[in-house]
Amino acid sequence: MTIASSSPPSRLPAGDAAEARSKPRTRRTEVGDNRGDGRLAAVFIAPALLGFVVFLLWPTLRGIYLSFTRFNLLTPAEWVGLDNYVRMVNDPIFWDSLWVTVEYVVINIGVQTVAALAMAVLLQRLTQSAMLRGIVLTPYLMSNVVAGLVWLWLLDTQLGIGNEIISALGADRIPFLADETWAIPTIALINVWRHVGYTALLLFAGLQAIPSDMYEAARVDGASEWRMFWRITMPLLRPVLAVVLIMTVIGSFQVFDTVAVTTAGGPANATNVLQYYIYGSAFGRFQFGYASAMSVALLVVLSAITVLQYRLTRAGRTDLG
């Protein structure tokens, strides 16, 4: 006598039934693979995350805390509330340093952006030689300290080759780094010389993303190089140019090395940029609380400028496509 099975017979073909039985196992395998990928990604991210927390996040939070204290390394930090910020608002040297920094930033960004854009366009339109790009980048491989020392010797009023040439041409020697009028423009141009190649290569990379058929169509229509630059290159390069401007402005506000090795803030505080004043307050006069307050103020200023630049230049949107 045959006993009937209590479960109904499967109506799926044999192949479909096998596939249906294998699906849950496949999903479990995918979940396991995703978890394995997540662990592997965490392993690779961990060193960078650790460096970010130790060398950026924690010092920033510590600096914000110290800005509300009186601290000189020798005694425990004493909470003083907003005293450091009140002192900063009433400090004429702080405002003078901020103005000197703004003057430097305007000269540096203005000259560097125009020169880098011209170099990038020439590299793209005339030649794309890798050797030439390497030569353009060479000054950037030099540290700020070395670049500052080299130009300090070249522009020395008495022995520098720059003033020797000026004197040989019959003109008066120029105290490039010893005169209040010449000091900041000279430091700005030194940093332009060092960074312009790197900035040009960033813009050159942005130019590579512009389709060449746009230039060919414009050339067929009789457009000149100047017209193509303003009608095609600039609008399509805008997002990259905006990001480069944000990076260079942030870097320019933090100028320190070149000033430290060439003028040390002189003459008569003519090159006493904000970063150098912060350094002098902290490690020269051991006023770490006040220096931290000025650093926080600089952080707020840079954050506001970055947001403003990002919105005005529409850095997150492109005209391509």
Side-chain angles (χ1 to χ4, degrees):
M1 183 176 180
T2 304
I3 300 176
S5 173
S6 59
S7 60
S10 174
R11 298 182 180 179
L12 294 174
D16 293 343
E19 182 179 355
R21 286 193 299 271
S22 66
K23 281 184 179 179
R25 189 177 300 125
T26 302
R27 279 196 292 270
R28 285 196 296 270
T29 304
E30 290 177 353
V31 171
D33 291 342
N34 291 336
R35 289 177 180 174
D37 292 342
R39 295 191 189 99
L40 184 62
V43 170
F44 282 106
I45 293 173
L49 182 61
L50 179 64
F52 172 80
V53 171
V54 173
F55 297 108
L56 186 62
L57 182 60
W58 169 246
T60 301
L61 297 176
R62 174 70 171 169
I64 294 173
Y65 165 73
L66 290 177
S67 70
F68 296 100
T69 67
R70 184 182 293 112
F71 182 53
N72 60 8
L73 282 182
L74 302 178
T75 58
E78 177 187 354
W79 184 266
V80 295
L82 297 175
D83 286 2
N84 288 323
Y85 292 95
V86 173
R87 175 186 172 186
M88 179 182 66
V89 171
N90 297 314
D91 185 0
I93 301 179
F94 167 79
W95 292 109
D96 183 66
S97 298
L98 183 59
W99 171 252
V100 169
T101 305
V102 170
E103 180 186 356
Y104 165 84
V105 170
V106 169
I107 298 173
N108 182 46
I109 297 302
V111 177
Q112 184 180 163
T113 303
V114 173
L117 186 58
M119 291 174 61
V121 172
L122 290 175
L123 285 173
Q124 192 230 9
R125 307 294 290 157
L126 300 181
T127 178
Q128 296 190 13
S129 169
M131 180 178 294
L132 185 58
R133 293 201 297 270
I135 294 173
V136 167
L137 189 62
T138 301
Y140 185 74
L141 303 179
M142 187 183 303
S143 71
N144 280 327
V145 173
V146 174
L149 289 174
V150 168
W151 282 102
L152 177 64
W153 297 330
L154 291 176
L155 300 177
D156 183 79
T157 308
Q158 300 301 325
L159 303 175
I161 188 173
N163 270 303
E164 289 293 333
I165 295 173
I166 292 174
S167 179
L169 294 174
D172 294 333
R173 293 175 180 267
I174 301 174
F176 289 101
L177 294 166
D179 183 82
E180 296 180 27
T181 304
W182 286 95
I184 277 293
T186 301
I187 291 174
L189 293 177
I190 290 173
N191 282 327
V192 167
W193 171 82
R194 182 178 178 269
H195 292 92
V196 68
Y198 176 72
T199 306
L201 288 184
L202 292 178
L203 296 177
F204 174 79
L207 291 173
Q208 297 297 100
I210 300 176
S212 59
D213 55 2
M214 290 189 175
Y215 293 104
E216 295 173 3
R219 198 174 290 111
V220 169
D221 291 338
S224 63
E225 289 290 337
W226 185 250
R227 189 173 181 82
M228 286 191 292
F229 174 78
W230 284 110
R231 297 295 184 179
I232 298 176
T233 303
M234 287 301 293
L236 298 183
L237 188 63
R238 178 186 46 76
V240 175
L241 183 60
V243 173
V244 170
L245 279 174
I246 291 172
M247 292 170 54
T248 52
V249 167
I250 291 174
S252 296
F253 265 97
Q254 300 179 61
V255 60
F256 172 80
D257 309 36
T258 311
V259 172
V261 301
T262 55
T263 62
N269 286 337
T271 60
N272 189 27
V273 293
L274 192 53
Q275 283 281 68
Y276 194 77
Y277 184 44
I278 292 172
Y279 169 81
S281 298
F283 298 98
R285 295 178 290 278
F286 296 100
Q287 299 173 355
F288 286 92
Y290 184 50
S292 298
M294 290 189 288
S295 299
V296 172
L298 180 59
L299 173 63
V300 172
V301 169
L302 288 179
S303 300
I305 291 175
T306 299
V307 172
L308 185 63
Q309 280 186 291
Y310 189 86
R311 290 184 178 274
L312 291 179
T313 58
R314 297 179 294 125
R317 286 176 285 178
T318 179
D319 295 330
L320 280 172

Short mmCIF file of all heavy atoms in Angstrom, two decimals, residues 144-153 155-156 176-178 183-184 186-188 190-191 255-267 271 276:
data_model
loop_
_atom_site.label_atom_id
_atom_site.label_comp_id
_atom_site.label_asym_id
_atom_site.label_seq_id
_atom_site.Cartn_x
_atom_site.Cartn_y
_atom_site.Cartn_z
N ASN A 144 59.39 75.78 0.12
CA ASN A 144 59.24 77.22 0.29
C ASN A 144 60.47 77.85 0.94
O ASN A 144 60.86 78.97 0.60
CB ASN A 144 58.01 77.52 1.15
CG ASN A 144 56.72 77.46 0.37
OD1 ASN A 144 56.67 77.78 -0.81
ND2 ASN A 144 55.66 77.02 1.02
N VAL A 145 61.09 77.15 1.88
CA VAL A 145 62.26 77.68 2.56
C VAL A 145 63.42 77.83 1.59
O VAL A 145 64.08 78.88 1.54
CB VAL A 145 62.65 76.76 3.74
CG1 VAL A 145 63.98 77.20 4.35
CG2 VAL A 145 61.56 76.76 4.80
N VAL A 146 63.67 76.80 0.79
CA VAL A 146 64.77 76.87 -0.19
C VAL A 146 64.49 77.95 -1.21
O VAL A 146 65.39 78.75 -1.56
CB VAL A 146 64.96 75.50 -0.87
CG1 VAL A 146 65.99 75.60 -1.99
CG2 VAL A 146 65.39 74.45 0.15
N ALA A 147 63.26 78.02 -1.72
CA ALA A 147 62.92 79.06 -2.69
C ALA A 147 63.11 80.45 -2.10
O ALA A 147 63.65 81.36 -2.75
CB ALA A 147 61.48 78.89 -3.16
N GLY A 148 62.70 80.64 -0.84
CA GLY A 148 62.87 81.93 -0.20
C GLY A 148 64.33 82.31 -0.04
O GLY A 148 64.72 83.46 -0.29
N LEU A 149 65.16 81.35 0.36
CA LEU A 149 66.59 81.63 0.53
C LEU A 149 67.26 81.95 -0.80
O LEU A 149 68.09 82.86 -0.88
CB LEU A 149 67.28 80.43 1.20
CG LEU A 149 66.95 80.21 2.68
CD1 LEU A 149 67.58 78.92 3.16
CD2 LEU A 149 67.43 81.39 3.52
N VAL A 150 66.92 81.21 -1.85
CA VAL A 150 67.51 81.46 -3.16
C VAL A 150 67.18 82.88 -3.63
O VAL A 150 68.06 83.63 -4.08
CB VAL A 150 67.02 80.41 -4.18
CG1 VAL A 150 67.39 80.83 -5.60
CG2 VAL A 150 67.61 79.04 -3.86
N TRP A 151 65.92 83.26 -3.53
CA TRP A 151 65.53 84.60 -3.97
C TRP A 151 66.04 85.69 -3.03
O TRP A 151 66.29 86.82 -3.47
CB TRP A 151 64.01 84.68 -4.11
CG TRP A 151 63.53 84.04 -5.36
CD1 TRP A 151 62.95 82.81 -5.49
CD2 TRP A 151 63.60 84.58 -6.68
NE1 TRP A 151 62.67 82.54 -6.79
CE2 TRP A 151 63.04 83.62 -7.56
CE3 TRP A 151 64.07 85.78 -7.20
CZ2 TRP A 151 62.95 83.83 -8.92
CZ3 TRP A 151 63.98 86.00 -8.57
CH2 TRP A 151 63.42 85.03 -9.42
N LEU A 152 66.24 85.36 -1.76
CA LEU A 152 66.85 86.32 -0.85
C LEU A 152 68.26 86.68 -1.30
O LEU A 152 68.66 87.85 -1.27
CB LEU A 152 66.88 85.73 0.57
CG LEU A 152 67.56 86.58 1.66
CD1 LEU A 152 66.82 87.90 1.87
CD2 LEU A 152 67.65 85.80 2.96
N TRP A 153 69.01 85.67 -1.75
CA TRP A 153 70.37 85.93 -2.26
C TRP A 153 70.33 86.63 -3.61
O TRP A 153 71.12 87.53 -3.87
CB TRP A 153 71.14 84.61 -2.37
CG TRP A 153 71.33 83.92 -1.06
CD1 TRP A 153 71.44 84.51 0.17
CD2 TRP A 153 71.42 82.51 -0.83
NE1 TRP A 153 71.59 83.56 1.15
CE2 TRP A 153 71.59 82.32 0.57
CE3 TRP A 153 71.37 81.38 -1.64
CZ2 TRP A 153 71.72 81.07 1.16
CZ3 TRP A 153 71.50 80.13 -1.06
CH2 TRP A 153 71.67 79.98 0.31
N LEU A 155 68.11 88.65 -4.78
CA LEU A 155 67.58 90.02 -4.71
C LEU A 155 68.25 90.87 -3.65
O LEU A 155 67.77 91.97 -3.34
CB LEU A 155 66.07 89.98 -4.45
CG LEU A 155 65.22 89.25 -5.50
CD1 LEU A 155 63.76 89.21 -5.08
CD2 LEU A 155 65.36 89.90 -6.88
N ASP A 156 69.34 90.39 -3.09
CA ASP A 156 70.06 91.17 -2.09
C ASP A 156 70.46 92.53 -2.67
O ASP A 156 70.91 92.64 -3.82
CB ASP A 156 71.31 90.43 -1.63
CG ASP A 156 72.05 91.17 -0.54
OD1 ASP A 156 71.62 91.09 0.62
OD2 ASP A 156 73.05 91.85 -0.86
N PHE A 176 64.46 95.17 -2.64
CA PHE A 176 63.23 94.40 -2.84
C PHE A 176 62.62 93.90 -1.53
O PHE A 176 61.41 93.96 -1.33
CB PHE A 176 63.49 93.21 -3.76
CG PHE A 176 63.73 93.58 -5.19
CD1 PHE A 176 65.01 93.62 -5.71
CD2 PHE A 176 62.67 93.91 -6.01
CE1 PHE A 176 65.23 93.97 -7.03
CE2 PHE A 176 62.88 94.25 -7.34
CZ PHE A 176 64.16 94.29 -7.85
N LEU A 177 63.47 93.38 -0.63
CA LEU A 177 62.98 92.78 0.60
C LEU A 177 63.27 93.64 1.83
O LEU A 177 63.01 93.20 2.95
CB LEU A 177 63.58 91.39 0.79
CG LEU A 177 63.15 90.35 -0.25
CD1 LEU A 177 64.03 89.13 -0.20
CD2 LEU A 177 61.68 89.97 -0.06
N ALA A 178 63.79 94.83 1.62
CA ALA A 178 64.13 95.71 2.74
C ALA A 178 63.36 97.02 2.70
O ALA A 178 63.61 97.90 3.52
CB ALA A 178 65.64 95.99 2.74
N ALA A 183 58.36 95.00 -0.32
CA ALA A 183 58.51 93.72 0.36
C ALA A 183 57.38 92.73 0.05
O ALA A 183 57.63 91.60 -0.39
CB ALA A 183 58.63 93.95 1.87
N ILE A 184 56.12 93.14 0.28
CA ILE A 184 55.00 92.22 0.06
C ILE A 184 54.86 91.83 -1.41
O ILE A 184 54.69 90.64 -1.72
CB ILE A 184 53.69 92.82 0.62
CG1 ILE A 184 53.60 92.54 2.11
CG2 ILE A 184 52.47 92.24 -0.06
CD1 ILE A 184 53.44 91.06 2.48
N THR A 186 57.18 91.59 -3.59
CA THR A 186 58.29 90.69 -3.90
C THR A 186 58.03 89.29 -3.36
O THR A 186 58.23 88.29 -4.06
CB THR A 186 59.60 91.24 -3.30
OG1 THR A 186 59.86 92.54 -3.84
CG2 THR A 186 60.76 90.32 -3.61
N ILE A 187 57.56 89.19 -2.12
CA ILE A 187 57.26 87.88 -1.53
C ILE A 187 56.14 87.20 -2.32
O ILE A 187 56.18 85.99 -2.57
CB ILE A 187 56.88 88.04 -0.05
CG1 ILE A 187 58.10 88.45 0.77
CG2 ILE A 187 56.29 86.74 0.50
CD1 ILE A 187 57.81 88.76 2.21
N ALA A 188 55.14 87.98 -2.73
CA ALA A 188 54.04 87.41 -3.51
C ALA A 188 54.55 86.85 -4.83
O ALA A 188 54.16 85.75 -5.24
CB ALA A 188 52.97 88.47 -3.75
N ILE A 190 57.59 85.84 -5.52
CA ILE A 190 58.41 84.65 -5.25
C ILE A 190 57.52 83.41 -5.17
O ILE A 190 57.82 82.36 -5.76
CB ILE A 190 59.22 84.83 -3.95
CG1 ILE A 190 60.33 85.87 -4.13
CG2 ILE A 190 59.82 83.49 -3.50
CD1 ILE A 190 61.06 86.22 -2.85
N ASN A 191 56.41 83.52 -4.46
CA ASN A 191 55.51 82.38 -4.34
C ASN A 191 54.75 82.11 -5.64
O ASN A 191 54.39 80.96 -5.92
CB ASN A 191 54.53 82.61 -3.18
CG ASN A 191 55.18 82.35 -1.83
OD1 ASN A 191 56.04 81.49 -1.70
ND2 ASN A 191 54.78 83.11 -0.83
N VAL A 255 50.32 81.79 4.22
CA VAL A 255 51.72 82.02 3.90
C VAL A 255 52.52 82.23 5.18
O VAL A 255 52.11 82.97 6.08
CB VAL A 255 51.87 83.23 2.95
CG1 VAL A 255 51.33 84.50 3.57
CG2 VAL A 255 53.33 83.41 2.55
N PHE A 256 53.66 81.56 5.27
CA PHE A 256 54.50 81.68 6.46
C PHE A 256 55.98 81.49 6.13
O PHE A 256 56.81 82.34 6.46
CB PHE A 256 54.07 80.66 7.52
CG PHE A 256 55.00 80.59 8.70
CD1 PHE A 256 54.91 81.54 9.70
CD2 PHE A 256 55.96 79.60 8.80
CE1 PHE A 256 55.78 81.50 10.79
CE2 PHE A 256 56.82 79.54 9.88
CZ PHE A 256 56.72 80.50 10.88
N ASP A 257 56.32 80.38 5.47
CA ASP A 257 57.73 80.00 5.27
C ASP A 257 58.53 81.09 4.57
O ASP A 257 59.63 81.45 5.02
CB ASP A 257 57.82 78.71 4.43
CG ASP A 257 56.97 77.59 4.97
OD1 ASP A 257 55.87 77.89 5.48
OD2 ASP A 257 57.38 76.43 4.88
N THR A 258 58.00 81.61 3.48
CA THR A 258 58.74 82.59 2.69
C THR A 258 59.01 83.85 3.50
O THR A 258 60.10 84.42 3.45
CB THR A 258 57.97 82.95 1.41
OG1 THR A 258 57.56 81.74 0.76
CG2 THR A 258 58.84 83.75 0.46
N VAL A 259 58.00 84.28 4.28
CA VAL A 259 58.18 85.47 5.12
C VAL A 259 59.22 85.20 6.20
O VAL A 259 60.08 86.04 6.48
CB VAL A 259 56.83 85.87 5.75
CG1 VAL A 259 57.02 86.98 6.77
CG2 VAL A 259 55.85 86.30 4.67
N ALA A 260 59.16 84.01 6.79
CA ALA A 260 60.06 83.70 7.91
C ALA A 260 61.53 83.71 7.49
O ALA A 260 62.39 84.15 8.26
CB ALA A 260 59.70 82.34 8.50
N VAL A 261 61.84 83.26 6.28
CA VAL A 261 63.25 83.15 5.88
C VAL A 261 63.76 84.36 5.11
O VAL A 261 64.96 84.48 4.89
CB VAL A 261 63.48 81.88 5.03
CG1 VAL A 261 63.10 80.63 5.81
CG2 VAL A 261 62.72 81.94 3.72
N THR A 262 62.87 85.26 4.70
CA THR A 262 63.32 86.42 3.92
C THR A 262 63.29 87.72 4.71
O THR A 262 64.27 88.46 4.74
CB THR A 262 62.47 86.58 2.65
OG1 THR A 262 61.08 86.66 3.01
CG2 THR A 262 62.69 85.42 1.68
N THR A 263 62.16 88.01 5.34
CA THR A 263 62.02 89.32 6.01
C THR A 263 61.73 89.20 7.50
O THR A 263 61.87 90.20 8.21
CB THR A 263 60.88 90.12 5.36
OG1 THR A 263 59.64 89.41 5.53
CG2 THR A 263 61.13 90.33 3.88
N ALA A 264 61.30 88.04 7.98
CA ALA A 264 60.94 87.86 9.40
C ALA A 264 59.91 88.89 9.85
O ALA A 264 59.96 89.40 10.97
CB ALA A 264 62.18 87.90 10.28
N GLY A 265 58.99 89.23 8.97
CA GLY A 265 57.93 90.16 9.32
C GLY A 265 58.26 91.62 9.08
O GLY A 265 57.38 92.48 9.15
N GLY A 266 59.51 91.94 8.81
CA GLY A 266 59.92 93.33 8.59
C GLY A 266 59.82 93.68 7.11
O GLY A 266 59.38 92.88 6.28
N PRO A 267 60.26 94.89 6.78
CA PRO A 267 60.68 95.97 7.70
C PRO A 267 59.48 96.68 8.29
O PRO A 267 58.48 96.93 7.62
CB PRO A 267 61.47 96.89 6.77
CG PRO A 267 60.84 96.68 5.43
CD PRO A 267 60.42 95.24 5.37
N THR A 271 55.67 93.09 6.39
CA THR A 271 55.37 91.74 5.91
C THR A 271 54.92 90.83 7.06
O THR A 271 55.02 89.61 6.97
CB THR A 271 56.59 91.12 5.22
OG1 THR A 271 57.68 91.05 6.17
CG2 THR A 271 57.03 91.94 4.02
N TYR A 276 52.38 84.63 10.51
CA TYR A 276 53.64 84.94 11.21
C TYR A 276 53.36 85.61 12.55
O TYR A 276 54.07 85.36 13.53
CB TYR A 276 54.52 85.85 10.34
CG TYR A 276 55.93 85.94 10.83
CD1 TYR A 276 56.84 84.89 10.59
CD2 TYR A 276 56.38 87.04 11.54
CE1 TYR A 276 58.14 84.96 11.04
CE2 TYR A 276 57.68 87.12 12.00
CZ TYR A 276 58.55 86.08 11.76
OH TYR A 276 59.84 86.14 12.22
#
